[in-house]
């Protein structure tokens, strides 16, 4: 049986591959099937990542195996709004909420861009979110750099990073959106 795990996740292909590898290990261990491919959907406006798919071949299409696969995907750490799709059904999966942080790439002073580092932003946000969320992927464009975090609570992640955002110069004129 062929299934598609449609991820409500903004993952670059290299980050989606990490998830594919983890899923493949689980499928092999459980003798359920294998990952057969995947893809990333980008928006036609600006090219930002919208969602991802992981194609799965399930060895046995019994309801127990499909339910087990749904249970295992939730253990991987995937966002709410994701689904296991087949020609006959759609099973909602995902337990995590998503936070997109958009760093302004054009409206700050040259000094800020020269003296601040987006990697420092990622490190500080991950530290602040420890135990409830983590960094999954990013997207870069001329005007914005988006950092994608997923965790147990959008509001808690946002609350924890706000003190850093208000104090670090590179975080001026940024914006935050809930994405899952």
């Amino acid at each position: 049986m062929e299934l598609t795990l449609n991820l409500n996740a903004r993952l670059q292909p290299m980050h989606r591959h990490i998830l594919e590898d983890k899923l493949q290990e689980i499928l092999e261990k459980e003798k359920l099937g294998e990952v057969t491919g995947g893809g990333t959907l980008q928006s036609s406006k600006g090219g930002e990542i919208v969602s991802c798919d992981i194609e799965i071949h399930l060895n046995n299409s019994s309801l127990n195996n499909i339910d087990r696969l749904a249970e295992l995907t939730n253990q991987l750490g995937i966002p709410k709004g994701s689904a296991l799709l087949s020609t006959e059904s759609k099973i909602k999966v995902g337990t995590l909420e998503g936070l997109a942080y958009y760093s302004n790439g054009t409206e700050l002073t040259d000094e800020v861009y020269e003296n601040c580092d987006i990697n420092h932003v990622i490190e500080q946000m991950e530290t602040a979110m420890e135990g409830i969320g983590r960094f999954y992927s990013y997207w870069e464009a001329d005007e914005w750099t988006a950092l994608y975090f997923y965790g147990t609570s959008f509001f808690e992640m946002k609350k924890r990073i706000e003190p850093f955002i208000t104090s670090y110069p590179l975080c001026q004129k940024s914006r935050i959106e809930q994405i899952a």
Side-chain angles (χ1 to χ4, degrees):
M1 172 181 217
E2 305 308 313
L3 296 167
T4 299
L5 175 57
N6 177 252
L7 297 167
N8 182 29
R10 298 181 185 186
L11 304 176
Q12 287 195 28
M14 65 183 167
H15 299 125
R16 187 194 73 241
H17 289 298
I18 293 168
L19 199 56
E20 287 174 6
D21 291 345
K22 288 179 183 177
L23 183 57
Q24 178 64 32
E25 286 177 26
I26 291 170
L27 290 170
E28 286 177 8
K29 181 181 174 191
E30 298 281 327
K31 296 180 174 53
L32 287 175
E34 65 182 334
V35 171
T36 57
T40 300
L41 177 64
Q42 294 178 277
S43 75
S44 58
K45 181 183 172 188
E48 186 174 6
I49 298 161
V50 176
S51 66
C52 303
D53 284 341
I54 298 176
E55 304 297 328
I56 301 166
H57 171 76
L58 202 58
N59 293 334
N60 181 323
S61 62
S62 74
L63 191 55
N64 284 343
N65 279 355
I66 296 169
D67 288 344
R68 179 71 177 139
L69 179 59
E71 178 185 317
L72 293 168
T73 57
N74 283 330
Q75 292 173 10
L76 279 176
I78 59 173
K80 293 176 180 177
S82 299
L84 272 171
L85 308 170
S86 71
T87 54
E88 298 90 32
S89 66
K90 175 180 180 177
I91 301 169
K92 293 180 181 182
V93 293
T95 59
L96 302 180
E97 295 185 0
L99 180 146
Y101 165 83
Y102 291 90
S103 180
N104 190 307
T106 59
E107 297 178 5
L108 306 179
T109 66
D110 290 342
E111 181 181 318
V112 169
Y113 295 119
E114 290 167 8
N115 296 321
C116 295
D117 184 0
I118 195 72
N119 292 309
H120 179 70
V121 173
I122 295 168
E123 291 167 8
Q124 293 302 307
M125 288 184 177
E126 274 208 306
T127 298
M129 291 180 193
E130 190 171 339
I132 62 159
R134 70 176 181 86
F135 174 73
Y136 272 63
S137 193
Y138 65 93
W139 169 75
E140 293 178 281
D142 293 336
E143 195 172 334
W144 299 98
T145 296
L147 306 176
Y148 304 122
F149 297 87
Y150 295 95
T152 55
S153 167
F154 165 79
F155 293 107
E156 188 63 30
M157 290 186 294
K158 182 179 178 194
K159 179 179 160 187
R160 288 194 185 181
I161 63 173
E162 282 176 342
F164 172 73
I165 289 171
T166 58
S167 68
Y168 194 61
L170 187 60
C171 297
Q172 297 171 39
K173 299 184 182 183
S174 63
R175 71 180 202 272
I176 294 175
E177 295 178 10
Q178 185 168 2
I179 55 173

